[in-house]
Amino acid sequence: MTELYKYLNSISPLQEETWRRVEQLFTEKTLIKGEYFINEGEKAKQIGFLTSGIIRAFYRNNEGLEYNKHFFIPHNIVGGYSSLVTSTPNKIIQQALTNCNILIANYSEITKLYDLFPDFERVGRRLAELYFVNKEQREIEIVLLNANERYLIFRKEYPQLLQLIPQYHIASYLGITPTQLS
């Protein structure tokens, strides 16, 4: 829980009383390599904080081809955010690429705290803003940068992943074939 507290507090300071209430909502969960945190078509109900391991977020088209959208490394929030907010079926699958430890909470319980604790609502707003900016930056990279430039950014953002996950996952994330990557 200490890691979660540090993470949330780095986004915006939390009062002790707020943290005590937030902390009560989270429980530990383990995902084994290959297991899903959320699958396509499910309605998301939980949000998680990844304490160890690697999770990929990806789409699967009608032909079964997969396109990696994002990698989650420790000290990141995971979950089907669009599904959580809209209560619609999830479209982005999240799968453990390694064994993972996650602190999970019911999203509706999290949002109930927003009205009670403005400092926690501020954390939620700032977190959403950060994710929006990251999403926009990623879209710009895919459209405006070539594969080599995207690879250099990947190496800078995820240096630890180069030796931990298969190259075909990296290639998919970069929008290139595994042959192009090697």
Side-chain angles (χ1 to χ4, degrees):
M1 288 290 180
T2 303
E3 295 163 335
L4 176 59
Y5 173 74
K6 287 178 184 176
Y7 178 77
L8 296 176
N9 210 46
S10 73
I11 295 169
S12 186
L14 292 175
Q15 296 177 14
E16 279 187 44
E17 180 185 353
T18 304
W19 171 243
R20 281 195 299 274
R21 289 291 296 276
V22 170
E23 181 180 33
Q24 294 172 5
L25 300 180
F26 284 87
T27 58
E28 293 183 37
K29 178 178 180 157
T30 299
L31 282 181
I32 303 302
K33 179 180 178 178
E35 286 186 321
Y36 297 97
F37 183 70
I38 186 162
N39 211 334
E40 182 178 19
E42 297 175 355
K43 283 191 181 177
K45 294 186 180 353
Q46 296 179 324
I47 193 162
F49 178 74
L50 185 63
T51 58
S52 69
I54 303 165
I55 293 177
R56 72 177 176 132
F58 67 100
Y59 301 93
R60 186 178 292 131
N61 72 11
N62 293 335
E63 289 81 40
L65 295 174
E66 297 176 354
Y67 300 92
N68 288 325
K69 176 186 180 302
H70 188 77
F71 294 107
F72 296 100
I73 57 176
H75 308 145
N76 273 280
I77 301 292
V78 298
Y81 190 68
S82 292
S83 178
L84 288 167
V85 172
T86 63
S87 296
T88 58
N90 183 58
K91 294 188 188 313
I92 301 170
I93 305 161
Q94 294 180 5
Q95 179 186 37
L97 292 180
T98 64
N99 292 340
C100 298
N101 292 311
I102 306 172
L103 298 172
I104 59 167
N106 183 296
Y107 185 71
S108 65
E109 295 299 315
I110 291 283
T111 58
K112 285 178 187 176
L113 293 184
Y114 289 165
D115 290 332
L116 300 173
F117 300 99
D119 56 331
F120 188 58
E121 182 181 36
R122 188 177 314 109
V123 167
R125 177 183 51 83
R126 288 189 176 166
L127 189 59
E129 291 169 351
L130 289 170
Y131 277 98
F132 177 82
V133 169
N134 288 340
K135 178 180 175 12
E136 185 178 77
Q137 183 61 40
R138 175 78 175 125
E139 291 167 351
I140 290 168
E141 290 169 9
I142 288 291
V143 173
L144 298 180
L145 301 181
N146 65 40
N148 189 55
E149 292 168 323
R150 292 192 305 271
Y151 178 71
L152 293 174
I153 290 169
F154 175 84
R155 283 182 46 176
K156 182 179 175 189
E157 290 182 3
Y158 301 109
Q160 68 277 39
L161 295 187
L162 293 170
Q163 302 304 317
L164 296 176
I165 63 174
Q167 282 199 343
Y168 67 89
H169 283 310
I170 297 170
S172 173
Y173 175 80
L174 296 173
I176 59 177
T177 66
T179 305
Q180 289 172 302
L181 179 59
S182 59

